[in-house]
């Protein structure tokens, strides 16, 4: 019997492997996963854990969403979610975080006439969000290392000998001129506002804590986005902070709203993983069922 040439045998073996893998991975595996997804009890999760109300789909219990009006303003009769850095907000096709870390505390100030040329540091984003939440909920939005106008309280300090020596110049790095610096002076030197486009890289960056309480009234999850940007839950503390506004908007006793929050709060996974949370969509749907708002 004539033997197949070695090279031809290699090609034939490769073709067989491709055929087998195509059948297993490209056909049998997808069909098997589809069959498993149709098993009763798993079908809901496989279809995206969609939530329906009034005969229509209103969202997913796994993905957060905004509760705002056409202008992007928070609807006062609904609980608000945590911030999102996924696309324009809660975009599952752009899931992700800002990738900004604890050392992101100096803004890139926008150039005159070019508002899109600037970029807020993580610190200034947190400060601005805390100020906005404080105004919405009628509590103090003050936070350590934040100015009263909602940016990072960060100074650029110049010293006579570079890293040491007397202070020769001080700039409030995140407050563009003609804004008034949050401090009038630092170690006897008048603080200047920052000029957009100026190079302050030679300055020592000095965050200033200020006199804000160590435990701010606005919880951390109200001012920071989750790693995925899709988190549908908020902390019970943030939900309770919003309760007085909801009670006033829906004209119901505060105790009733707090009781509803308690019913919608889930515990730690397996009793030890993560923290208790409140699904915002499910909580708002429970609100509409129990305490309908005419303006909702």
């Amino acid at each position: 019997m004539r033997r197949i040439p070695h090279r031809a045998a290699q090609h034939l073996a490769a073709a067989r492997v491709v055929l087998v893998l195509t059948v297993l991975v490209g056909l049998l595996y997808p069909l098997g996963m589809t069959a498993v997804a149709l098993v009763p009890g798993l079908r809901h999760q496989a279809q995206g854990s969609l939530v329906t109300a009034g005969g229509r789909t209103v969202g997913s219990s796994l993905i957060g969403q905004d509760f705002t009006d056409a202008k992007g303003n928070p609807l006062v009769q609904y609980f608000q979610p945590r911030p999102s850095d996924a696309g324009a907000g809660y975009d599952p096709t752009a899931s992700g975080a800002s990738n900004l870390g604890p050392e992101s505390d100096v803004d890139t100030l926008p150039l005159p006439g070019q508002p899109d040329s600037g970029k807020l540091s993580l610190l200034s984003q947190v400060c601005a969000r805390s100020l906005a939440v404080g105004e919405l909920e009628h509590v103090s939005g003050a936070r350590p290392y934040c100015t009263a106008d909602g940016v990072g309280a960060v100074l650029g300090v110049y010293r006579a000998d570079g890293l040491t020596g007397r202070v020769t110049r001080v700039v409030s790095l995140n407050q563009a001129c003609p804004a008034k610096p949050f401090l009038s002076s630092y170690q006897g030197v008048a603080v200047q506002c920052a000029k957009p486009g100026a190079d302050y890289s030679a300055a020592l960056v000095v965050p200033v804590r200020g006199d804000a309480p160590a435990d701010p009234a606005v919880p951390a999850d109200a001012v920071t986005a989750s790693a995925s940007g899709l988190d549908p839950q908020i902390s019970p503390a943030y939900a309770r902070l919003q309760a007085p506004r909801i009670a006033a908007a829906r004209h119901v006793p505060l105790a009733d709203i707090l009781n509803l929050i308690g019913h919608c709060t889930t515990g730690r996974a397996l009793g030890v993983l993560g923290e208790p949370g409140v699904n915002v969509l499910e909580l708002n749907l429970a609100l509409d069922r129990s305490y309908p708002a005419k303006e909702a």
Side-chain angles (χ1 to χ4, degrees):
M1 180 181 293
R2 186 177 181 182
R3 299 181 59 185
I4 300 176
H6 179 68
R7 179 169 296 182
Q10 288 182 322
H11 286 301
L12 182 60
R16 289 173 178 170
V17 171
V18 170
L19 179 60
V20 170
L21 290 178
T22 299
V23 172
L24 288 177
V25 181
L27 184 61
L28 296 182
Y29 177 77
L31 289 177
M33 291 297 99
T34 301
V36 171
L38 295 177
V39 172
L42 297 179
R43 183 177 302 178
H44 176 66
Q45 290 88 335
Q47 293 177 343
S49 298
L50 299 178
V51 177
T52 58
R56 62 188 182 91
T57 300
V58 294
S60 167
S61 62
L62 300 178
I63 299 177
Q65 64 186 68
D66 291 315
F67 290 86
T68 55
D69 61 20
K71 296 181 179 180
N73 299 313
L75 293 171
V76 296
Q77 69 270 29
Y78 285 109
F79 284 93
Q80 295 300 309
R82 67 184 303 179
S84 171
D85 286 321
Y90 298 103
D91 182 357
T93 66
S95 174
S98 66
N99 293 326
L100 299 177
E103 295 184 357
S104 174
D105 52 12
V106 178
D107 300 350
T108 299
L109 300 177
L111 298 173
Q114 303 179 43
D116 294 334
S117 62
K119 183 178 181 180
L120 291 179
S121 63
L122 178 60
L123 176 59
S124 283
Q125 290 182 40
V126 167
C127 294
R129 291 165 178 167
S130 190
L131 185 63
V133 171
E135 292 176 350
L136 178 64
E137 309 302 346
H138 302 292
V139 298
S140 172
R143 212 169 195 87
Y145 303 104
C146 293
T147 69
D149 57 351
V151 298
V154 180
L155 299 178
V157 179
Y158 292 83
R159 293 184 177 274
D161 300 319
L163 298 178
T164 60
R166 64 182 180 84
V167 175
T168 59
R169 182 187 178 197
V170 184
V171 179
S172 179
L173 297 177
N174 295 335
Q175 292 181 298
C177 295
K180 181 180 179 180
F182 67 96
L183 282 182
S184 59
S185 65
Y186 178 80
Q187 294 189 11
V189 177
V191 178
Q192 307 169 359
C193 57
K195 296 180 180 179
D199 182 8
Y200 298 112
S201 59
L204 297 175
V205 177
V206 179
V208 179
R209 189 194 182 285
D211 57 0
D215 186 16
V218 179
D221 63 306
V223 298
T224 56
S226 65
S228 67
L230 307 178
D231 194 347
Q233 294 184 322
I234 58 175
S235 66
Y238 187 25
R240 289 192 293 270
L241 177 66
Q242 301 183 61
R245 167 174 53 82
I246 303 296
R250 294 185 181 250
H251 307 291
V252 298
L254 175 59
D256 290 353
I257 302 299
L258 293 174
N259 185 54
L260 194 62
I261 292 173
H263 281 299
C264 292
T265 299
T266 56
R268 294 178 172 88
L270 302 179
V272 295
L273 301 178
E275 296 292 336
V278 184
N279 189 291
V280 178
L281 174 60
E282 294 176 356
L283 179 57
N284 282 333
L285 290 176
L287 267 177
D288 281 343
R289 289 193 299 269
S290 302
Y291 312 107
K294 294 180 179 181
E295 67 271 26

